[in-house]
Amino acid sequence: MSANISPVRGYADVLVGLQYGDEGKAKVIDLIAGDYDIIARFNGGANAGHTIDAPAGRVVLQQVPSGVFHPHTQLYIGSGSAVNLWKLKNELDLVEAGGIDLTGRLFISDRCAVVQPAHFIIDETNSEDIGTTKNGVGPCYADRASRVRNGIRVNVQLRDLLADPDTVMAAMRASAEAELSRLAGDVQHLRERLDASITSLLDCIERVRPFVQTDRGYLGRRVAAGARVLFEGAQSLMLDVVHGDQPYVTASHTVPAYAYVGGDLSPQYHRYTIGVAKAVVSRVGNGPFPSELGAERAEAYFAAACAAGRGKAEENIDYRPEELLRSADPMDLGIALRMLTHEYGSGTGRPRRIGLLDLQQLREMVGLFGVDVVYLNKVDCLALYKESVYAGIPVRLTAETAARDGEQVRILPSFELSAVDPAAPELLPKELLAFRSVVEQEIGAPVIGVGLGPERDRTAQFFRLGEHRLQETRT
């Protein structure tokens, strides 16, 4: 053994979403967080909601890592993240009001980029073509890349605010005023938001200050001494700023390798890459969606609904999902599945576009990014297809299988889950086990667990990481 390698050194696993987001990553992290010492974020900001249903309660997180319900697990927000201080303060207050003490548990890199008022203004006036959440994350990352504009530094890191808040806040206001001056029409509501943001910023800084970590080597030393890290990816692989379909992507890198850049850890500690997908696929925002039910008509419906502010409440008034479920129109089926499976944004409330389980897409993500194991959530929702015109579970096959079978979509037998015990995966219905086998064969990676409901204890795990060699389970 090399003298430079400690016999007790730890490791890092990376968990990422394999589709367009909302796959239930936080649920899986909450499920397995007890096997780790640190849960760490490495990208993104307050532009995604991570929902956890645990025995201790339900919480929707946007920036705090999803291990909050495990009191012995530390939480880390790496330098690759964009921090919205206003929302982070509210999130900290919400978590601690729920009886969760983050003192000595949460650490935030002082090199995180700070979302500024100007970024909100830019995002609000330029978001419609992409479908962003208007949280300023994209403009924040753009300014981090620009660094300087017209001789003025536009990239603000958390450490800048902590060191000289008055100077940085004055620069933030000037930058936001410059953006407002470029806009035509009534900008009074934006000016009021600017004033409120600047007024409340000092309180936000002081609320966050105790959690800021100035030591860039913090995570590396912890892992070298034996700590086990689970990196939590925000957004998902199909939305990566490079590998996704421009411009309908997020503003950060979402791929597993970036965990070791934005997460502030050497890649020498990497162990496994964990992928999370869901059986009823969804997408928020514009952009390609090959398996979408209703295709272009469904995408247009989504755009109109978002523009009009229509969401769950309005659809519950207008539609009867049980009737739409039996419709021969794929778009009706998509609306029914969205309503019955509660596919609305946890952070925004926006309706999500709905599609078939796309095994071709999953195979590409698994192969391209070296995914070792997969958790597949919302498998219980597949039972709804039994009442549809499919009368079974439709899946989009890989190109190789489709060419051989002459069909792009295969219908698999449905299954009943009324008496299923997730703690006994060997007793799951044979149709469900056959479904899992087809998925594994098509995507080229073992399905380590299937979600049978939103709660932590409603996931059937077939084995845990580290129990045996993964290469023996690969197809």
Side-chain angles (χ1 to χ4, degrees), residues 338-349:
R338 173 168 57 249
M339 296 177 70
L340 294 170
T341 63
H342 311 291
E343 283 291 346
Y344 299 88
S346 56
T348 64

Side-chain angles (χ1 to χ4, degrees), residues 2-22:
S2 168
N4 295 323
I5 300 178
S6 167
V8 296
R9 82 172 188 169
Y11 53 80
D13 295 336
V14 182
L15 184 145
V16 293
L18 301 179
Q19 296 158 326
Y20 302 100
D22 309 308

Side-chain angles (χ1 to χ4, degrees), residues 160-338:
D160 301 319
L161 265 177
L162 297 179
D164 190 358
D166 291 337
T167 299
V168 175
M169 287 168 58
M172 283 184 171
R173 177 179 283 279
S175 178
E177 292 285 359
E179 292 299 332
L180 289 175
S181 69
R182 298 185 180 96
L183 301 178
D186 184 8
V187 296
Q188 183 59 31
H189 69 291
L190 293 174
R191 187 171 299 282
E192 290 174 356
R193 182 178 182 182
L194 167 61
D195 291 339
S197 297
I198 293 296
T199 300
S200 60
L201 186 53
L202 271 177
D203 286 342
C204 297
I205 294 171
E206 293 311 310
R207 180 70 173 91
V208 171
R209 186 186 293 273
F211 302 104
V212 175
Q213 174 59 256
T214 60
D215 179 6
R216 284 188 289 173
Y218 161 75
L219 205 57
R221 274 191 289 278
R222 288 294 317 279
V223 178
R228 303 159 298 170
V229 175
L230 177 61
F231 281 115
E232 171 184 7
Q235 289 78 44
S236 292
L237 298 187
M238 296 297 295
L239 299 179
D240 182 83
V241 68
V242 172
H243 292 278
D245 293 307
Q246 286 280 354
Y248 309 109
V249 295
T250 192
S252 62
H253 290 288
T254 64
V255 300
Y258 190 72
Y260 298 97
V261 178
D264 312 317
L265 183 67
S266 168
Q268 67 178 310
Y269 296 111
H270 180 71
R271 187 179 68 148
Y272 296 131
T273 297
I274 306 165
V276 182
K278 63 181 176 182
V280 177
V281 188
S282 72
R283 176 165 191 167
V284 172
N286 303 326
F289 190 178
S291 71
E292 184 169 18
L293 288 163
E296 292 85 359
R297 288 190 300 129
E299 184 177 8
Y301 172 91
F302 167 82
C306 289
R310 285 174 48 82
K312 182 176 183 179
E314 290 75 17
E315 289 197 332
N316 280 332
I317 293 173
D318 293 344
Y319 301 116
R320 294 183 180 276
E322 294 80 7
E323 295 178 1
L324 295 182
L325 192 64
R326 295 187 290 271
S327 170
D329 186 338
M331 183 170 158
D332 286 345
L333 178 57
I335 295 173
L337 289 173
R338 173 168 57 249

Side-chain angles (χ1 to χ4, degrees), residues 440-467:
E440 289 185 329
Q441 292 171 16
E442 289 286 293
I443 71 175
V447 175
I448 191 173
V450 294
L452 305 175
E455 299 83 9
R456 179 194 292 175
D457 62 359
R458 294 297 298 170
T459 300
Q461 292 203 87
F462 298 95
F463 64 90
R464 302 180 74 86
L465 287 175
E467 284 186 348

Side-chain angles (χ1 to χ4, degrees), residues 10 24-25 38 155 176 236 329 375 409 412:
K25 296 182 289 295
I38 302 169
N155 175 42
S236 292
D329 186 338
Y375 281 89
V409 175
L412 301 176

